[in-house]
Amino acid sequence: MFTLAELDNVIPLVRAILPPTPQYAWPLLKALTGVEIVVKHENHTPIGAFKLRGGIVYFDRLKRARPQVQGIVTATRGNHGQSLALAGTHAGIAVTIVVPHGNSTEKNAAMRAFGAELIEHGRDFDEAKEAAIQVATERGLEMHLPFTETSLSALQLTRRSCLPRSII
């Protein structure tokens, strides 16, 4: 797990690309629950999800740890790929994403628009993942799979930085 100090250290890096997302208290939720509920609108990020912060930090750490890396390959079905595509473009690192056939056309279009090379392969995520591993090996690229990079997952928590300190 990451400390609050470690999370604080990456906030300027994230803020250079992504401003804090809006958060609002909604009166109807208060009427329904009896307490004020603040909704943090992660749908206002460029990818429509909170995952972008983790991608930004992942590429920063990757560039510092292995500056010779020319690109990465991943398998995904959506938000993870959008995060890596956008963050990779900002970091100047090529991103290749393998998705299964029949994946969301909107997610595929977004990943391409954010700068990724998109390869459609296989019937499901597992087949796409196997193809991604093969592409990484053939091209000599860094393999990155969702759910395996602890810094990427843990640093999604930087979204907490938008909340008041008293409730973090």
Side-chain angles (χ1 to χ4, degrees):
M1 192 62 181
F2 286 81
T3 67
L4 189 56
E6 289 170 314
L7 291 174
D8 285 343
N9 287 337
V10 300
I11 298 306
L13 174 68
V14 171
R15 289 290 169 263
I17 298 172
L18 180 67
T21 51
Q23 46 201 334
Y24 302 105
W26 293 96
L28 290 177
L29 288 175
K30 183 176 183 178
L32 183 66
T33 64
V35 297
E36 184 171 82
I37 296 176
V38 176
V39 177
K40 187 162 170 32
H41 288 274
E42 293 298 310
N43 56 314
H44 287 255
T45 70
I47 68 169
F50 67 88
K51 292 183 177 259
L52 179 55
R53 294 173 189 85
I56 294 166
V57 175
Y58 167 74
F59 278 107
D60 178 69
R61 289 184 171 187
L62 178 63
K63 283 177 74 167
R64 285 188 281 118
R66 292 184 292 289
Q68 75 285 359
V69 169
Q70 298 298 307
I72 70 153
V73 179
T74 192
T76 184
R77 294 192 59 102
N79 292 342
H80 176 74
Q82 290 180 78
S83 167
L84 293 177
L86 182 55
T89 296
H90 278 278
I93 296 177
V95 176
T96 302
I97 300 170
V98 183
V99 299
H101 290 289
N103 197 50
S104 163
T105 56
E106 294 82 5
K107 301 271 185 188
N108 290 355
M111 288 182 272
R112 284 186 183 108
F114 289 134
E117 173 191 356
L118 194 82
I119 299 171
E120 294 182 71
H121 181 89
R123 295 169 298 184
D124 56 25
F125 173 80
D126 290 332
E127 290 183 8
K129 180 178 87 171
E130 291 306 315
I133 292 168
Q134 183 177 351
V135 169
T137 301
E138 290 171 356
R139 297 183 185 181
L141 301 174
E142 181 89 7
M143 184 65 208
H144 175 83
L145 290 174
F147 317 115
T148 59
E149 174 64 47
T150 54
S151 67
L152 187 61
S153 299
L155 287 167
Q156 306 299 358
L157 296 175
T158 61
R159 68 184 181 271
R160 292 177 17 175
S161 68
C162 301
L163 298 172
R165 270 276 186 224
S166 60
I167 62 171
I168 292 181

